[in-house]
Amino acid sequence: MRKSVVVLVSVLLLMGVVGLASIPKDTLVIGANTGIFITLDPAVCYEVLPSVVVMNAYSGLFKLESIGGVIKAVPELAESYEISKDGKTWTFHLRHGLTFANGDPLTADAVVYSYKRVLKLHKSPVWLYESLGLTADNMDETIKKIDDYTVQIVTSKPFAPNVVMSILAESWGGIVDPKVAEAHAVGNDMGSKWLTDHSAGAGPYVVKLWKRNSMVVLEANEKYWKGAPKIKRVIIKDMPETTDQLLSLKRGDIDVAWNLTPQQINSLKGNKSVQIITTPSQSDEYVGMNAGWGPFKNPKVRLAVKYAIDYKSIIKDIVGGYAINNQEFIPAGYFGFVTDNPAPFHQNIAKAKELMKEAGYPNGFEVELVTNTTERRRNEAIAIQADLAKIGIKAKITIMQASQMYSKYRQQGIQMIVAGWGVDFPDADALAKPFADYRVHQLAWRLMWYDDYAADLAEKAGFEKNAAKREQMYADLMEYWFLNGPFAMLYQPLQYWGVRSEVKGFDEAAKGYGLVFDLMKVYK
């Protein structure tokens, strides 16, 4: 407690008395809305911004890196690994001499403990482990220590290697110090309450302080196995109002503004004290049509809607140009992304009307278009409503709270929707299943697109070991999905930040944001 008070006082002095215009060279101050912070426990945390803290406070067997524009899982604590001939048994060999930030040795026991901890606590990230066939019931047989530096995992099926590695590379794959976690355990929580605002990892940073609605403070782990980071202290200051972030960035009171609007970020163009950093976001924005409802049962009607939408205007006028005109469900930078023609649809009203006529709806029809309360989504719904009117479709917009909308969506109760989808791990399988395989009970199922050809292809591609064959399977699926699927993909968002000019390496650190953010690459 006394140590935390000392940290808080020193940080407050830095931010208040000294003045943030003189932020030290080894300190990074980020202004962000931290309202989404719930926990920093790697077995529980599932939100994007808090995951930035978690993935920098913990290390896993693998980590995600952007290599040549493609996000890949690469060995981190695992020096090497082997996969059995049947593709189910993975043997990981740990680096020797690893330690946690407090100096405790990091061995196979900690890896086994951490993976079983995710399964035992059974919080939000657990489904990813369970998707590999690892469960609380079978974990003693499927997750084993072979020796101090060797761990073995047995998956239920021969998944494509990138699927397994990518899941283990995410923040929920962070290795926790068992000694520290158990020392703070309350009942059966395996230290989860304490780890809500502390850390016990081997990453480049240590969580020193989380003062709710005020700040999160990270300090450099001088024992990090790759060497200590150049930035010794990272302060994430809670600034819910974007205007406060913008003004503070201009004054030099913060180094990074995390949540600016498109208009605010564009206002910084030409400001030599600030750089604008952008990177493709790991998410999709789409229109969904319920293939089990009325006119949308006909693929020609769904195709007509895809040709009725003015995608370029939405990107230009609603999101200020901060989006990629990518109409695939696989984001740019992923294995399986088809580079030849990622946006085959553009507004063609004559073609859309012809398709409506061929489908038997020359005079259109009425439909309810649902979205949530965010300003961007409301504006997108209004633009799509106007586009649909050009081909006779009268869309009535209904705005719902997100929780209400998704509850109705999950019950297949929505005719048409404007929504988004975030990627869980960087592999085409993480997108193909939700968007094309109704059997996994995600997006395709919610829109009642019971297409066995698409479902079979999505499922088979997830197990294909030959990369070239697998890539072709996704290309075939995408071509079929464009013509038959119940989705009109609007765009892939771009994530953007306002960053002071003296901050270097932020663009490299941010590549893959949403799934990865590497503070080790930031310096001044």
Side-chain angles (χ1 to χ4, degrees), residues 130-354:
E130 291 179 339
S131 71
L132 299 177
L134 309 175
T135 69
D137 290 335
N138 69 19
M139 62 184 181
D140 289 337
E141 291 75 41
T142 56
I143 304 172
K144 293 180 181 176
K145 168 188 172 183
I146 304 302
D147 59 42
D148 283 348
Y149 300 100
T150 310
V151 175
Q152 198 170 77
I153 289 177
V154 182
T155 60
S156 59
K157 297 178 182 177
F159 296 96
N162 193 51
V163 173
V164 178
M165 292 162 60
S166 295
I167 288 176
L168 297 182
E170 274 285 4
S171 58
W172 39 78
I175 307 305
V176 176
D177 187 340
K179 188 175 166 186
V180 175
E182 290 303 315
H184 293 90
V186 178
N188 296 321
D189 83 338
M190 304 181 79
S192 191
K193 183 177 180 183
W194 187 81
L195 287 172
T196 294
D197 48 16
H198 297 78
S199 62
Y205 286 92
V206 175
V207 176
K208 296 302 292 185
L209 175 74
W210 174 12
K211 183 175 172 55
R212 270 70 167 174
N213 303 316
S214 177
M215 70 183 78
V216 178
V217 180
L218 306 178
E219 288 195 351
N221 171 14
E222 299 296 332
K223 297 184 178 69
Y224 182 51
W225 72 277
K226 285 183 177 176
K230 293 175 183 174
I231 295 292
K232 300 301 180 186
R233 175 175 287 172
V234 178
I235 301 168
I236 303 175
K237 185 180 179 186
D238 184 46
M239 302 182 80
E241 298 297 329
T242 60
T243 302
D244 290 342
Q245 292 185 29
L246 179 66
L247 295 175
S248 295
L249 181 71
K250 286 180 175 177
R251 289 196 301 263
D253 292 347
I254 60 175
D255 292 307
V256 181
W258 204 275
N259 308 109
L260 300 180
T261 67
Q263 293 73 28
Q264 288 170 334
I265 200 79
N266 282 334
S267 75
L268 293 171
K269 290 180 178 176
N271 186 331
K272 294 181 179 177
S273 298
V274 176
Q275 51 186 323
I276 297 172
I277 303 294
T278 65
T279 193
S281 180
Q282 310 306 299
S283 61
D284 293 316
E285 189 79 2
Y286 67 87
V287 174
M289 296 164 271
N290 192 323
W293 175 83
F296 289 147
K297 292 178 181 175
N298 191 323
K300 287 189 177 180
V301 174
R302 304 197 294 263
L303 204 54
V305 169
K306 295 174 191 179
Y307 277 111
I309 296 172
D310 188 347
Y311 303 90
K312 289 186 178 178
S313 289
I314 290 174
I315 290 174
K316 177 176 176 289
D317 299 333
I318 297 179
V319 293
Y322 290 96
I324 299 170
N325 188 15
N326 173 22
Q327 295 168 2
E328 301 180 22
F329 54 72
I330 299 177
Y334 278 52
F335 174 86
F337 174 70
V338 182
T339 57
D340 291 346
N341 187 17
F345 297 103
H346 58 276
Q347 190 178 56
N348 185 336
I349 298 300
K351 188 167 185 173
K353 283 183 174 178
E354 186 61 32

Side-chain angles (χ1 to χ4, degrees), residues 254-507:
I254 60 175
D255 292 307
V256 181
W258 204 275
N259 308 109
L260 300 180
T261 67
Q263 293 73 28
Q264 288 170 334
I265 200 79
N266 282 334
S267 75
L268 293 171
K269 290 180 178 176
N271 186 331
K272 294 181 179 177
S273 298
V274 176
Q275 51 186 323
I276 297 172
I277 303 294
T278 65
T279 193
S281 180
Q282 310 306 299
S283 61
D284 293 316
E285 189 79 2
Y286 67 87
V287 174
M289 296 164 271
N290 192 323
W293 175 83
F296 289 147
K297 292 178 181 175
N298 191 323
K300 287 189 177 180
V301 174
R302 304 197 294 263
L303 204 54
V305 169
K306 295 174 191 179
Y307 277 111
I309 296 172
D310 188 347
Y311 303 90
K312 289 186 178 178
S313 289
I314 290 174
I315 290 174
K316 177 176 176 289
D317 299 333
I318 297 179
V319 293
Y322 290 96
I324 299 170
N325 188 15
N326 173 22
Q327 295 168 2
E328 301 180 22
F329 54 72
I330 299 177
Y334 278 52
F335 174 86
F337 174 70
V338 182
T339 57
D340 291 346
N341 187 17
F345 297 103
H346 58 276
Q347 190 178 56
N348 185 336
I349 298 300
K351 188 167 185 173
K353 283 183 174 178
E354 186 61 32
L355 285 163
M356 290 287 283
K357 185 178 178 182
E358 291 175 14
Y361 296 97
N363 300 316
F365 53 86
E366 294 183 0
V367 65
E368 183 184 42
L369 175 60
V370 176
T371 195
N372 64 21
T373 56
T374 60
E375 182 179 350
R376 184 189 64 185
R377 293 262 165 79
R378 291 201 309 267
N379 290 335
E380 288 169 355
I382 291 169
I384 290 162
Q385 181 188 47
D387 288 339
L388 295 180
K390 295 173 184 174
I391 62 171
I393 298 177
K394 300 176 183 64
K396 177 190 172 188
I397 297 174
T398 300
I399 305 296
M400 295 182 178
Q401 291 295 329
S403 57
Q404 182 188 4
M405 181 181 83
Y406 285 111
S407 176
K408 189 172 182 179
Y409 193 19
R410 289 180 181 122
Q411 296 174 32
Q412 301 179 317
I414 284 180
Q415 297 171 4
M416 194 173 199
I417 188 170
V418 177
W421 181 258
V423 183
D424 288 305
F425 56 93
D427 186 272
D429 187 63
L431 287 307
K433 294 279 178 60
F435 280 100
D437 183 356
Y438 70 91
R439 296 169 194 143
V440 300
H441 280 222
Q442 292 184 343
L443 300 180
W445 183 85
R446 293 175 194 174
L447 293 173
M448 301 179 75
W449 189 46
Y450 304 135
D451 191 303
D452 285 317
Y453 173 80
D456 287 345
L457 199 48
E459 185 176 342
K460 288 176 183 173
F463 295 120
E464 179 55 57
K465 293 179 185 175
N466 183 295
K469 285 183 181 176
R470 189 170 184 239
E471 193 166 30
Q472 186 58 52
M473 293 168 85
Y474 286 123
D476 293 343
L477 175 60
M478 195 68 71
E479 187 176 355
Y480 182 83
W481 182 84
F482 276 143
L483 296 175
N484 298 280
F487 302 92
M489 197 66 76
L490 297 178
Y491 56 83
Q492 178 185 347
L494 282 176
Q495 183 69 35
Y496 51 83
W497 299 265
V499 181
R500 295 290 298 180
S501 298
E502 55 268 30
V503 177
K504 311 297 182 189
F506 195 93
D507 53 340

Side-chain angles (χ1 to χ4, degrees), residues 61 75-81 92-96 98 149:
L61 294 185
E76 172 81 347
L77 300 182
E79 189 168 43
S80 62
Y81 62 94
F92 305 102
H93 302 284
L94 292 177
R95 300 177 191 279
H96 288 226
L98 295 170
Y149 300 100

Side-chain angles (χ1 to χ4, degrees), residues 58-107:
Y58 294 85
S59 288
L61 294 185
F62 297 91
K63 70 175 294 185
L64 298 177
E65 285 270 8
S66 177
I67 301 174
V70 178
I71 301 167
K72 296 180 178 178
V74 298
E76 172 81 347
L77 300 182
E79 189 168 43
S80 62
Y81 62 94
E82 297 139 19
I83 310 172
S84 63
K85 286 185 179 179
D86 68 2
K88 296 181 182 178
T89 302
W90 287 70
T91 304
F92 305 102
H93 302 284
L94 292 177
R95 300 177 191 279
H96 288 226
L98 295 170
T99 66
F100 289 100
N102 65 356
D104 287 348
L106 193 162
T107 64

